[in-house]
Amino acid sequence: EELDEQAKVIVKTDLELNKAQEELDKRLEGLDALQKLSRAINTTLDENEIFNRLSKNLLNELGFEKYLFLTFEKNTLLKIKRHFGFYQEECDKLNTFLKAHRDIVEQFQKGETLASLQIPEDLKRPLGQILRTDDFIIAPILVQNTLLGLTVAGNHSPTYFLTEGDSEIVSILADQLGQAIENARLFEQVYTRSEEHTSELQSHHPI
């Protein structure tokens, strides 16, 4: 009996080690994919092009099946900027849900991420139905502490397990998007000012 107990402990430890190794491998792959995505979105100063640079191949390396990138128009209406596996219907339902749950929008404004792993069942269930996925992470895209939009990643495969590391990775991606958009807007401002300054000089000193 003692040997049997020891064998059980060994098997349990082995399973735990395997799971920990899987999580570590997944995290390393995710960080590698984040680096590639960062390089892709930071080599353009066109705000719309930033979202176009989010390729399906690179996103797949993060380990999710579905992605949705949204921006707020007039503070409330969510507009799709890029999507893989999610559709307009999910976006419309999410809009309706967030209008009725201003407290969740306030959480996003504070930079908080919403993950099915960490939220109560009465919130997880309706959001899961809206997004048509069992596991999901919603991270805010912030530009100078202002909520610009949302990054949604989801998975409906029963073999998939969500970890806290996944939440971190989606949050980092949302942060990278916010930073890239901020850079694009700053460039636009500087460029516009420069153009105005050149026009002013030309009007004062006509050739």
Side-chain angles (χ1 to χ4, degrees), residues 12-59:
K12 186 172 180 254
T13 307
D14 196 40
L15 286 170
E16 282 171 2
L17 282 170
N18 279 344
K19 193 182 176 198
Q21 186 61 50
E22 271 180 48
E23 281 187 30
L24 185 64
D25 289 345
K26 197 167 110 181
R27 197 177 171 83
L28 288 170
E29 281 168 23
L31 290 169
D32 185 49
L34 275 177
Q35 202 174 12
K36 290 176 192 168
L37 281 161
S38 176
R39 210 174 298 134
I41 64 176
N42 281 300
T43 48
T44 179
L45 288 164
D46 179 328
E47 197 174 317
N48 288 317
E49 181 59 24
I50 288 166
F51 288 99
N52 293 338
R53 296 278 178 98
L54 296 165
S55 76
K56 195 171 191 300
N57 288 345
L58 283 178
L59 288 168

Side-chain angles (χ1 to χ4, degrees), residues 22 30 80-81 120 136 139 166-167 185 198:
E22 271 180 48
I80 293 176
K81 299 297 276 188
F136 58 84
D166 291 322
S167 289
R185 289 185 176 182
T198 305

Side-chain angles (χ1 to χ4, degrees), residues 37-182:
L37 281 161
S38 176
R39 210 174 298 134
I41 64 176
N42 281 300
T43 48
T44 179
L45 288 164
D46 179 328
E47 197 174 317
N48 288 317
E49 181 59 24
I50 288 166
F51 288 99
N52 293 338
R53 296 278 178 98
L54 296 165
S55 76
K56 195 171 191 300
N57 288 345
L58 283 178
L59 288 168
N60 279 348
E61 288 181 35
L62 290 181
F64 294 92
E65 292 173 345
K66 300 165 76 174
Y67 295 91
L68 183 59
F69 299 92
L70 305 154
T71 53
F72 283 100
E73 305 291 313
K74 295 168 190 164
N75 297 326
T76 51
L77 183 72
L78 285 167
K79 183 183 174 187
I80 293 176
K81 299 297 276 188
R82 197 94 166 116
H83 63 105
F84 300 104
F86 286 109
Y87 301 98
Q88 188 64 48
E89 191 184 339
E90 283 97 324
C91 180
D92 293 342
K93 285 180 179 175
L94 189 59
N95 260 324
T96 307
F97 182 83
L98 291 178
K99 275 182 189 170
H101 295 80
R102 297 301 302 166
D103 54 323
I104 294 173
V105 177
E106 281 168 23
Q107 277 181 264
F108 290 141
Q109 280 165 339
K110 288 177 193 165
E112 291 175 30
T113 296
L114 212 64
S116 55
L117 183 77
Q118 297 143 327
I119 58 174
E121 195 61 36
D122 62 345
L123 187 56
K124 180 183 170 178
R125 203 180 306 111
L127 274 170
Q129 285 170 348
I130 287 166
L131 299 169
R132 293 182 186 173
T133 184
D134 297 327
D135 289 307
F136 58 84
I137 295 162
I138 310 172
I141 302 169
L142 298 166
V143 177
Q144 291 181 331
N145 297 324
T146 302
L147 183 63
L148 176 89
L150 300 171
T151 294
V152 184
N155 217 300
H156 49 72
S157 169
T159 56
Y160 181 84
F161 60 94
L162 201 65
T163 68
E164 283 185 27
D166 291 322
S167 289
E168 280 178 45
I169 277 172
V170 176
S171 293
I172 293 168
L173 176 59
D175 287 345
Q176 286 179 345
L177 282 166
Q179 191 59 57
I181 291 162
E182 190 175 325

